[in-house]
Amino acid sequence: KQTEILEVGSRKNENPFEVLPSILEVFRIYPILALVDLPQLVGRVWVFLILHNSPYTPTAAETDLVFYTLAAMLAAGACTPFDVARTRLLLQRQKDVEDEMDRKATFREAIEAGKRAAETTALAIEAA
């Protein structure tokens, strides 16, 4: 779908500025992306700080690296359902946009068919 603009097809004669709405779509979906990544970020920092500030662990760069890796793994595992929900929301939104584009194309085709029918009828009336 993303490379559809570059391919030769039904869009080759369209205005290149019509690509702009798809670029602006990124700003429409950004809140979903940010809200889903926020719990993972907070969980990662929270687990890291718990491990790092523990009185039973030494403070060194190597242990911090291990703690951060563990924190990232735990946060990613805990937030996987959020990632699945985000993906479903984004796919549903993409499907809704595609359905709307299909409806508009069908509407345009119906208008063109109506114009052709009116022109044919007018020519038939003039000929009679």
Side-chain angles (χ1 to χ4, degrees):
K1 294 290 180 187
Q2 295 169 348
T3 59
E4 189 175 281
I5 301 297
L6 303 175
E7 294 174 358
V8 176
S10 63
R11 294 186 173 202
K12 67 180 178 182
N13 295 327
E14 290 184 15
N15 187 349
F17 291 107
E18 290 181 7
V19 178
L20 186 61
S22 63
I23 293 171
L24 294 177
E25 181 71 17
V26 171
F27 296 106
R28 272 186 45 196
I29 63 174
Y30 183 75
I32 295 172
L33 297 173
L35 287 175
V36 172
D37 287 338
L38 190 62
Q40 185 173 0
L41 177 68
V42 170
R44 188 177 353 161
V45 171
W46 183 65
V47 171
F48 173 75
L49 289 176
I50 288 174
L51 294 172
H52 178 74
N53 293 332
S54 173
Y56 305 109
T57 59
T59 302
E62 296 83 17
T63 56
D64 283 350
L65 181 63
V66 171
F67 290 158
Y68 190 79
T69 303
L70 286 172
M73 288 173 24
L74 289 172
C79 293
T80 297
F82 293 122
D83 290 335
V84 171
R86 174 191 64 186
T87 303
R88 287 187 179 176
L89 283 171
L90 293 176
L91 290 175
Q92 180 60 40
R93 184 172 291 206
Q94 180 181 0
K95 183 180 179 300
D96 291 344
V97 168
E98 289 171 358
D99 290 347
E100 181 65 26
M101 288 173 53
D102 289 342
R103 279 192 293 273
K104 287 180 180 179
T106 303
F107 184 69
R108 273 181 272 164
E109 290 171 4
I111 288 175
E112 290 300 318
K115 286 179 183 178
R116 285 191 302 273
E119 290 172 359
T120 303
T121 305
L123 289 174
I125 291 173
E126 287 178 4

